């Protein structure tokens, strides 16, 4: 079987074509974009919220407002902002609305402390990240074309990596390549690590028995 691995992680986007035959997996070609990943989605989401904050709370210069904070407060704001952005991205994979809440950090143009409370709908989020996801499908087409793999010859497209869990990713791939081809890993964030562990196990002649902890040869019966 011919498998296309769609690995949409945090910092990179990687594509691989594997040939599965008689229990062995042979990597045929690889491609992707080392500068494209979930971090780009975080950046888009962050910029969207910054724009909403400025509009709603009358802040003409967000960067200047942030720089006016004491270093400790600025660091705390940036850390909390970053954590909430990551959490909102995850929430929007399961619910239709998420909220950013940051209280008591920034001042508006009048010098009044503001409490940030802004909602985002999944539709807005998907519109925001659509160009990023579309680029991943374009990279798939480029890989298949440059390596003479018609999409009809690909049996399955396996989605791994944290960002592949975003509903829009699965929807766009299914719309383009068909529901029967697209498979989402049960544990997309752990799939690569699990695959590496399986490969490492296949390369060694002995293993540790999970019951007694002793080393045994692969062809030996466990205790």
């Amino acid at each position: 079987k011919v498998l296309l691995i769609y690995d949409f992680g945090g910092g990179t986007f990687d594509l691989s074509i594997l040939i599965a035959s008689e229990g062995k997996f042979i990597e045929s070609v690889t491609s992707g974009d080392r500068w494209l990943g979930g971090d780009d989605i975080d950046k888009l989401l962050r910029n969207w919220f910054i724009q909403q904050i400025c509009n709603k709370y009358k802040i003409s210069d967000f960067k200047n407002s942030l720089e006016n904070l004491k270093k400790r407060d600025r660091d705390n704001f940036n850390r909390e902002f970053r954590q909430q952005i990551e959490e909102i991205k995850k929430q929007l994979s399961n619910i239709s609305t998420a909220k950013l809440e940051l209280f008591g950090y920034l001042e508006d143009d009048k010098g009044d402390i503001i409490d940030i409370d802004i909602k985002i709908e999944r539709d807005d989020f998907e519109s925001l990240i659509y160009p990023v996801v579309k680029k991943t499908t374009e990279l798939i087409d480029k890989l298949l074309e440059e390596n003479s793999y018609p999409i009809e010859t690909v049996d399955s497209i396996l989605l791994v990596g944290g960002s592949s869990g975003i509903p829009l990713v699965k929807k766009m791939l299914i719309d383009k390549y068909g529901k029967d081809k697209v498979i989402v890993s049960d544990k997309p964030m752990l799939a690569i690590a699990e695959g590496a562990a399986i490969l490492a196990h296949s390369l060694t002649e002995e293993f540790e028995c999970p019951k007694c902890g002793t080393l045994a040869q692969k062809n030996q019966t466990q205790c």
Side-chain angles (χ1 to χ4, degrees), residues 158-173:
L158 177 61
L159 277 56
V160 300
S163 297
S164 69
I166 296 173
L168 180 66
V169 172
K170 182 179 178 181
K171 180 181 183 302
M172 288 181 65
L173 290 174

Side-chain angles (χ1 to χ4, degrees), residues 132-151:
V132 174
V133 182
K134 186 173 186 295
K135 186 174 181 181
T136 68
T137 65
E138 293 170 348
L139 289 170
I140 291 176
D141 292 341
K142 181 180 179 182
L143 172 69
L144 296 176
E145 181 180 352
E146 290 182 348
N147 294 278
S148 300
Y149 273 102
I151 188 61

Side-chain angles (χ1 to χ4, degrees), residues 1-166:
K1 288 193 173 183
V2 179
L3 309 174
L4 175 62
I5 312 302
Y6 175 103
D7 181 5
F8 197 5
T12 63
F13 174 68
D14 301 299
L15 293 169
S16 300
I17 292 181
L18 300 182
I19 310 299
S21 177
E22 298 180 351
K24 295 182 179 180
F25 294 87
I26 303 168
E27 188 175 60
S28 177
V29 293
T30 61
S31 185
D33 187 337
R34 62 183 299 184
W35 305 111
L36 180 69
D39 292 344
D40 295 280
I41 293 175
D42 291 351
K43 188 181 298 183
L44 288 171
L45 198 52
R46 176 185 171 88
N47 290 340
W48 185 89
F49 272 112
I50 289 174
Q51 186 62 52
Q52 299 303 310
I53 290 169
C54 291
N55 292 342
K56 182 175 181 178
Y57 299 103
K58 310 302 181 184
I59 298 177
S60 56
D61 190 334
F62 181 86
K63 183 178 179 181
N64 183 63
S65 181
L66 196 58
E67 289 178 348
N68 285 337
L69 296 177
K70 294 179 181 178
K71 184 180 185 305
R72 181 177 178 180
D73 290 338
R74 184 167 61 249
D75 291 344
N76 288 338
F77 175 89
N78 285 329
R79 182 179 64 254
E80 192 172 345
F81 195 9
R82 183 172 60 251
Q83 291 172 346
Q84 287 200 38
I85 289 294
E86 180 69 23
E87 186 60 28
I88 287 169
K89 182 175 67 175
K90 294 177 182 177
Q91 289 176 359
L92 290 172
S93 292
N94 301 302
I95 58 178
S96 60
T97 304
K99 184 186 293 187
L100 176 75
E101 296 179 319
L102 290 164
F103 302 142
Y105 285 107
L106 299 182
E107 297 179 354
D108 60 19
D109 289 347
K110 295 180 180 179
D112 296 327
I113 295 291
I114 60 174
D115 290 333
I116 297 170
D117 184 346
I118 295 177
K119 292 181 180 179
I120 182 171
E121 303 291 333
R122 182 188 286 180
D123 288 346
D124 294 325
F125 174 64
E126 292 185 344
S127 296
L128 195 66
I129 68 171
Y130 177 85
V132 174
V133 182
K134 186 173 186 295
K135 186 174 181 181
T136 68
T137 65
E138 293 170 348
L139 289 170
I140 291 176
D141 292 341
K142 181 180 179 182
L143 172 69
L144 296 176
E145 181 180 352
E146 290 182 348
N147 294 278
S148 300
Y149 273 102
I151 188 61
E152 293 77 18
T153 65
V154 176
D155 294 290
S156 300
I157 301 175
L158 177 61
L159 277 56
V160 300
S163 297
S164 69
I166 296 173

